[in-house]
Amino acid sequence: RPPPPLASTPVSAVDNPAFCGEVRQASFFYLDRFVLLANGNALYLYSYRIDREAPAHDAVRAVELRSTYRLRHCWEVPAAHYITRLACPASYLSPMVVVAASDRSLAVLDWASGAEVRRISDAHERAVTSISLYEGTPHSSVPAATRDLMLTAAADGLLKLWDLRAAGCVRSFSGGHTNRVFPIGASLSPCLRYVACG
């Protein structure tokens, strides 16, 4: 059952409109039950069904695929021109999505409750280009509360570690990069002791 909309545009059950402009990012969501797409200043939530039956006969295999997809909800960031990055957990069931926008804001969305649960304005001096969520690993024992940690990077040369419970930056890393043009990628290590960036 799809989660309720977040201040979304009403969507017809059979309407799958074409996008205007580029899709900046796509991600599976909610343990692969949905797909999230970032286009312009909107985040689109699609449900999909893939026909897994493999026909034995070549003539049947050549027929158009019977897989379907359907737009469920659309959420917009009104103050931004476009969404720069999105992140959602892939290894465990969670309705949370983190969205970075061109207005330098970060928003934490809870699709289950249909609400924006956290907004951080001016998260960086420039728009966020990388979001890394900590998803844990079966090979390391860290508390479940670490799922509230998030690492962001922007072309301002800073990496910031956020705690979503406190809605604030708990640590900032600077001096490693002077580039203010190209995006900086960043990742948290599985043991949560290190940050990799480049």
Side-chain angles (χ1 to χ4, degrees):
R1 185 176 159 178
L6 262 158
S8 64
T9 306
V11 175
S12 165
V14 296
D15 193 15
N16 287 318
F19 291 113
C20 297
E22 67 177 315
V23 174
R24 289 184 170 262
Q25 189 180 351
S27 179
F28 286 104
F29 176 57
Y30 211 65
L31 284 182
D32 300 343
R33 296 180 188 172
F34 299 94
V35 172
L36 285 169
L37 300 173
N39 172 249
N41 69 339
L43 185 64
Y44 296 87
L45 178 72
Y46 282 88
S47 62
Y48 67 95
R49 185 188 63 79
I50 297 176
D51 189 356
R52 298 179 187 276
E53 295 178 20
H57 196 276
D58 287 342
V60 178
R61 196 178 284 122
V63 176
E64 185 177 346
L65 290 174
R66 292 177 297 230
S67 301
T68 60
Y69 65 96
R70 182 172 295 164
L71 178 60
R72 294 296 183 176
H73 303 295
C74 173
W75 179 78
E76 292 186 3
V77 183
H81 293 293
Y82 54 90
I83 292 173
T84 58
R85 201 74 183 152
L86 70 94
C88 52
S91 62
Y92 59 91
L93 193 62
S94 173
M96 305 300 272
V97 179
V98 181
V99 177
S102 59
D103 64 350
R104 298 176 299 161
S105 68
L106 288 170
V108 181
L109 313 175
D110 182 353
W111 289 95
S113 66
E116 181 180 292
V117 295
R118 184 82 63 212
R119 175 168 285 279
I120 302 168
S121 300
D122 298 325
H124 283 262
E125 290 178 14
R126 308 276 298 268
V128 172
T129 56
S130 175
I131 303 172
S132 178
L133 301 179
Y134 181 72
E135 298 193 41
T137 173
H139 308 291
S140 178
S141 58
V142 291
T146 56
R147 291 180 176 173
D148 292 319
L149 295 178
M150 165 181 70
L151 182 70
T152 60
D156 59 2
L158 292 177
L159 299 175
K160 291 187 178 183
L161 184 66
W162 303 85
D163 188 334
L164 297 178
R165 296 164 295 181
C169 176
V170 294
R171 185 165 293 173
S172 182
F173 306 94
S174 63
H177 296 277
T178 57
N179 189 339
R180 297 182 63 88
V181 178
F182 298 106
I184 297 171
S187 180
L188 292 164
S189 68
C191 64
L192 206 57
R193 292 177 59 196
Y194 304 104
V195 168
C197 61

